[in-house]
Amino acid sequence: MLGQFNIGYGVRQIPLPARALGWFCALAVLIWVSGGFPPHAWLLLWQSLQQLPTLWAARGPALLLPVLGLVILALLLAAAWIGLLLAGWRLLRTCWYSWQERRLLRHELEQLREAEVQATRAVRHYRPGGGGRSRSQPLSTSRPLAPKPGSPDSLTRPLASVSGPSPSAGANAAPSLDARRALWADFPTQVDLSLSSPPALSALMAAPVEEQLTFPSPAEAQALETPTPNWPAPAEKRAEERRTETLASLPSKGTLVIRMGAVTDPGLKRKHKPNEDNLVAIQKQRTHSGQTFGLCVVADGMGGHSNGREASRLVVETFCELALPALTNSVENDETFLTGILVDALQHANLKLYQRNRAEKADMGTTVTAALLLDSTAYVLNVGDSRTYLYRPATGLTQVTQDHSVVARLLSAGSISREDVYRHPQRNQIYRCLGDRASVEVDVFAVPLLRGDKLLLCSDGLWEMVRDPQIEHLLGLTADPVTICQCLLQAALDGGGDDNVSVIVVEVLQIAA
């Protein structure tokens, strides 16, 4: 089972008790070699220096070699004691960090236990066909909602984190509007969810051509602006003409129009190993209203290379197979209803991965960040340390999601600086992921959209290698999303490419009225 304090997928360090035991063993050996403290060599050297004139008169130049050897031995022992003391200081500092992290995470762990208790109670009271509960739990806001789009007060409206499986409408209810919204039933923790086949996800990703915007070919993309300066004037003119043609061909006002780009890469240091990331970027139309919506998911698996890849694939497939039909066939645009669909689908995916871990005695897990773009709002979900950013030309880059990691908690508590996030020893440890428990707490954010906004969904392989100012610069380019994704990937590789890199960029060309 995934431990709350030891969920890591980078280079694992020696456990703290083993380091402490090694330090005490080294101390015992050094005391034995030195003959106690202070070492006998130091005392002998001090006595020899005090009697040096008398010894020189008695022995002459023959005294130099023994004294030189004694000095060298004293210096070696001094270096050994200094190194041991420095190692002891680092060990004490590590113990202090560990205690501080546990203290900061204690409240979070209590919340997780309470969520598990609530999920267990919900399962005990589960009755198939019961019609007394709504399809999803109402979402109360954690603080007042932000103003309408365009207001300078705030960019996002954080909703309360949702925990536990959300019940659905009764199975025996007559066909109605509720039946067209979401057609899956409520689930207990031991329900057998069958594994989807890879062709199922491929079919979901293959949206009709008429529902997608045409991306430029690789040859055409070369004419668009990239980080290389001093483009020839003809290339700039052709790029501007193509952009003008694209904007001129947009549908009438009142329709959401977006462009998407996506790329994933195993990175430089893991190029010969399986890519543990999985992503999906889909653009479809709703059956009844004809509204265009976009659904994007980035999942970063953990638990070993093969397990990590399987975990992220399983979650992405399950989430899309449940969310897409409900979003396509529904007619409501209510915020609570839409976020309920997304959270329910993610809870099912988490439960499926949890059951796989229980059946195979594995420790698979994955982070996930997802975004639904509909009308003039983006509904963002997050579990773990994969991130979603919003780039707005007037205000720059804003991180929408909050990392569920040790370093993020230390940063919010003021224990470390922002730069320490990228080099802290526990930077790869997270305290919330999918697959660890039967239910998972999901952060939900509502982001008002404006024309010209860009959403960036990425795994930690990007933001750990590329700092936010550089991400903001690349998102500000006038290139299409595909080219921007390629630029972000290249920046991550140039920064070291230590981890798998997954990037999705969504550009809002026009928002719904």
Side-chain angles (χ1 to χ4, degrees), residues 149-221:
S151 172
D153 294 341
S154 177
L155 292 178
T156 62
R157 295 174 296 177
L159 304 179
S161 298
V162 180
S163 175
S166 299
S168 62
N172 299 328
S176 62
L177 179 61
D178 291 337
R180 293 196 302 269
R181 294 176 183 171
L183 303 180
W184 65 76
D186 199 356
F187 58 95
T189 56
Q190 298 302 321
V191 68
D192 185 15
L193 298 175
S194 59
L195 178 63
S196 306
S197 58
L201 183 60
S202 301
L204 290 173
M205 296 178 62
V209 177
E210 61 272 10
E211 297 181 10
Q212 302 180 7
L213 291 175
T214 303
F215 293 135
S217 64
E220 295 174 335

Side-chain angles (χ1 to χ4, degrees), residues 161-457:
S161 298
V162 180
S163 175
S166 299
S168 62
N172 299 328
S176 62
L177 179 61
D178 291 337
R180 293 196 302 269
R181 294 176 183 171
L183 303 180
W184 65 76
D186 199 356
F187 58 95
T189 56
Q190 298 302 321
V191 68
D192 185 15
L193 298 175
S194 59
L195 178 63
S196 306
S197 58
L201 183 60
S202 301
L204 290 173
M205 296 178 62
V209 177
E210 61 272 10
E211 297 181 10
Q212 302 180 7
L213 291 175
T214 303
F215 293 135
S217 64
E220 295 174 335
Q222 293 297 327
L224 298 177
E225 183 178 348
T226 64
T228 306
N230 302 325
W231 283 99
E236 292 181 354
K237 185 176 181 181
R238 289 195 300 271
E240 184 61 30
E241 289 176 353
R242 277 194 298 273
R243 183 173 180 84
T244 303
E245 293 175 359
T246 302
L247 295 176
S249 61
L250 294 180
S252 59
K253 295 295 183 180
T255 303
L256 176 67
V257 181
I258 56 179
R259 294 196 299 179
M260 295 181 174
V263 65
T264 183
D265 189 270
L268 296 179
K269 294 190 177 181
R270 302 186 181 185
K271 60 182 178 180
H272 300 301
K273 299 177 182 178
N275 190 346
E276 299 180 65
D277 291 357
N278 271 282
L279 58 81
V280 167
I282 304 173
Q283 188 174 169
K284 292 181 68 66
Q285 286 185 339
R286 307 180 83 177
T287 303
H288 302 286
S289 61
Q291 294 173 299
T292 300
F293 70 89
L295 185 63
C296 306
V297 187
V298 172
D300 182 2
M302 64 190 85
H305 299 297
S306 58
N307 284 344
R309 179 176 59 177
E310 174 65 16
S312 60
R313 182 195 66 83
L314 180 62
V315 166
V316 169
E317 281 189 3
T318 306
F319 178 80
C320 291
E321 289 178 349
L322 293 176
L324 277 176
L327 293 171
T328 303
N329 299 324
S330 62
V331 295
E332 280 201 11
N333 295 332
D334 179 67
E335 186 175 274
T336 301
F337 168 71
L338 294 174
T339 54
I341 287 179
L342 300 177
V343 171
D344 282 353
L346 198 58
Q347 290 288 358
H348 275 78
N350 171 74
L351 179 61
K352 193 171 183 178
L353 182 58
Y354 173 75
Q355 291 176 339
R356 176 71 66 85
N357 281 331
R358 293 286 297 273
E360 301 180 0
K361 294 181 172 54
D363 61 348
M364 296 186 295
T366 183
T367 68
V368 66
T369 186
L372 167 66
L373 291 86
L374 180 63
D375 287 342
S376 60
T377 306
Y379 304 99
V380 179
L381 276 66
N382 185 64
V383 178
D385 61 352
S386 295
R387 292 182 177 179
T388 295
Y389 291 90
L390 171 68
Y391 172 79
R392 182 165 292 168
T395 58
L397 188 69
T398 303
Q399 181 179 335
V400 177
T401 57
Q402 300 174 358
D403 298 341
H404 304 135
S405 63
V406 171
V407 292
R409 294 297 299 269
L410 294 176
L411 179 63
S412 62
S415 302
I416 61 175
S417 65
R418 183 167 296 276
E419 191 61 28
D420 291 335
V421 172
Y422 300 98
R423 55 173 181 260
H424 195 275
Q426 281 79 39
R427 63 183 178 276
N428 287 330
Q429 293 186 5
I430 60 176
Y431 57 83
R432 190 188 303 175
C433 69
L434 273 71
D436 186 27
R437 295 170 178 267
S439 63
V440 64
E441 188 175 2
V442 183
D443 288 353
V444 185
F445 303 87
V447 183
L449 296 176
L450 299 177
R451 181 177 179 180
D453 287 352
K454 293 175 183 176
L455 277 181
L456 167 65
L457 289 79

Side-chain angles (χ1 to χ4, degrees), residues 425-497:
Q426 281 79 39
R427 63 183 178 276
N428 287 330
Q429 293 186 5
I430 60 176
Y431 57 83
R432 190 188 303 175
C433 69
L434 273 71
D436 186 27
R437 295 170 178 267
S439 63
V440 64
E441 188 175 2
V442 183
D443 288 353
V444 185
F445 303 87
V447 183
L449 296 176
L450 299 177
R451 181 177 179 180
D453 287 352
K454 293 175 183 176
L455 277 181
L456 167 65
L457 289 79
C458 63
S459 60
D460 63 340
L462 175 71
W463 62 262
E464 283 191 354
M465 298 293 104
V466 187
R467 301 296 188 265
D468 287 0
Q470 188 177 2
I471 294 177
E472 180 177 355
H473 167 71
L474 294 177
L475 288 175
L477 299 175
T478 57
D480 64 289
V482 176
T483 304
I484 293 177
C485 287
Q486 295 171 350
C487 293
L488 289 168
L489 171 60
Q490 188 59 48
L493 298 179
D494 293 341

